[in-house]
Amino acid sequence: MTMARVAAGAAVPRRALCLLGAVLLAAAVGCSEEPHKAGGPWAGPYEVVTQQVSADDADGGFGDGTVRYPDDGSRDYGVIAASPGLGADESTVAPYGELLASHGFVVITIDTKTPEDSPAQRGRQLLRALDYATERSDAADRADPRRLGVLGHSMGGGGALYAAARNPHIRAAVPLTPYATRRDWHRVEAPTLVVGGSDDEVAPVSEYADAFYEGLSGAREKAYLELKGDHFVATPPDGLVSRQVVAWFGHFLAGAPGSPCPLPSGDGVTESRDTCPFGTRGR
């Protein structure tokens, strides 16, 4: 973790620098806030600590971002990076940061360098965000670099697939109403949950989410969940999506008991397919 030297020559942790910076002109150091309980009825048991990250902190690897992580430092946690879609900012995926951190993950949600970045560019930035979270963030002391996941909405969902295709160490991916020009994702080995919206006119499921699921020929496990709704059916997540995303990452990144299958059915679900039963990959 980054350290700074004061005049006396002693090393001062980042959090102490943050307190000093708040008194002096709010110095540009990524500062962790006090722990808080995540909001919403689907929040997990952990209090969440939040660290704001600037593009300068990230050395230009991505835009601004936020690291959220459990306040309990007694163990290591899986690490997830999340990207928004075309024209959107970090706030689109921020609810997933709160949700997943409260369930025991280190999560970094990012702004991309420009709102028009392509899925491939977003994928590279997600990989840089994972590097930052595991190596340099305030959560680095509890972030397990062997258990990595990616999530994204729209072009960010395409970015999540690009990231998983480039880094075989990624163990779980969740593209939400994803968009990309590629259909063949045979290089993605990570267990992947694809979420689509039946009424999506931006990225119709027949051309994107459903086609992407079929193109995941190399994935160890995969699932397709189509919901009644449009391009934003999973942002922000409702109870059904929250439970399924937490279960997916919990199973493949944390070795949580139980299984994320069978996928939910009934109200709000128009179609689902999967490769159940899933094998545990999380520990």
Side-chain angles (χ1 to χ4, degrees), residues 142-155:
R142 65 199 67 182
D144 187 345
R146 301 165 301 174
R147 293 187 280 142
L148 304 177
V150 285
L151 176 147
H153 173 249
S154 192
M155 276 194 180

Side-chain angles (χ1 to χ4, degrees), residues 6-63:
V6 294
V12 180
R14 182 190 294 267
R15 192 168 294 185
L17 282 176
C18 292
L19 295 175
L20 178 60
V23 176
L24 302 170
L25 299 179
V29 179
C31 303
S32 289
E33 301 171 359
E34 289 301 309
H36 64 274
K37 293 290 288 184
W42 308 288
Y46 292 95
E47 289 198 337
V48 176
V49 183
T50 300
Q51 176 198 357
Q52 302 299 325
V53 181
S54 72
D56 289 339
D57 293 333
D59 294 333
F62 50 88

